[in-house]
Amino acid sequence: MKGKIYLYLFVFALLLVIFQYVNSKNILESYEKKFDKYEAKIEAYKDSIQVLEDKNFELSIFGIDRNEDALSYFERDGYNVSELIPLIKDGLIRQNEYEGDDHPIVPYVSMTGNKMLINQIKILNHKWIIANFTDGKHWGEILITYEIDENQQLKYKLAEYFMYPPQSY
């Protein structure tokens, strides 16, 4: 009788070990599949990040932040570039505070009754700025030259401009 109990216990233990082995193997395979999926996603994200970094670099080529010659130009004259660049942008935005119909920089008069306003500004280098403007319905872009005169005053001058044709919806 004792021999049968040991035999049953042995068979039961053997079945338990086989069950544990198969279950562990299935769990391991499941984790490997999930890991492979995550690895593929990580590679896709790395590729996406690289594409975005390349695009960001491409977009920032024409910008004063990456133009060492333009930055050196200001630094040679004793300007703190990190303070000067916001002043240049703010000075141009302050041009939006005007009376009447004629914007000091934008060469178009609003056709909607709203003021023409400069919206976005990108300082290209130590001489040029590109900006866009709108009256809420009509849009355009301007190329502006700028300089700091001997009295440390910013002077803006319109170089080129255009307005997009109205869209009919």
Side-chain angles (χ1 to χ4, degrees), residues 101-103 106-112 114 116 135 138 163:
D101 292 333
D102 294 334
H103 192 286
V106 177
Y108 298 102
V109 176
S110 172
M111 294 174 267
T112 64
N114 297 328
M116 279 291 182
D135 65 358
H138 304 92
M163 185 177 280

Side-chain angles (χ1 to χ4, degrees), residues 20 22-23 33 36 48 68 100:
Q20 286 290 2
V22 170
N23 191 36
K33 285 180 186 177
D36 290 343
S48 297
E68 288 299 319

Side-chain angles (χ1 to χ4, degrees), residues 84-97:
L84 182 62
I85 291 173
L87 287 175
I88 294 169
K89 288 182 178 182
D90 291 343
L92 194 53
I93 290 294
R94 276 196 301 269
Q95 302 293 317
N96 286 337
E97 301 167 5

Side-chain angles (χ1 to χ4, degrees), residues 9-73:
L9 282 174
F10 175 74
V11 170
F12 178 72
L14 184 62
L15 287 174
L16 189 61
V17 167
I18 292 171
F19 172 77
Q20 286 290 2
Y21 171 76
V22 170
N23 191 36
S24 297
K25 185 177 176 189
N26 289 337
I27 290 172
L28 185 60
E29 287 173 358
S30 171
Y31 283 141
E32 284 177 353
K33 285 180 186 177
K34 286 181 182 178
F35 181 75
D36 290 343
K37 285 181 187 177
Y38 288 130
E39 257 187 344
K41 283 183 181 180
I42 288 171
E43 286 304 314
Y45 289 143
K46 283 181 181 177
D47 292 344
S48 297
I49 289 170
Q50 186 61 47
V51 166
L52 290 173
E53 285 175 346
D54 292 346
K55 187 69 172 175
N56 185 38
F57 178 75
E58 198 175 292
L59 290 172
S60 66
I61 287 174
F62 289 106
I64 196 163
D65 297 337
R66 291 199 190 248
N67 188 331
E68 288 299 319
D69 294 326
L71 295 173
S72 303
Y73 176 86

Side-chain angles (χ1 to χ4, degrees), residues 60-82 84-85 88 123-129 146 148:
S60 66
I61 287 174
F62 289 106
I64 196 163
D65 297 337
R66 291 199 190 248
N67 188 331
E68 288 299 319
D69 294 326
L71 295 173
S72 303
Y73 176 86
F74 287 130
E75 289 169 350
R76 272 193 312 266
D77 289 344
Y79 294 106
N80 180 344
V81 176
S82 62
L84 182 62
I85 291 173
I88 294 169
I123 301 174
L124 300 176
N125 56 32
H126 62 291
K127 294 291 180 185
W128 298 333
I129 298 172
Y146 71 99
I148 303 171

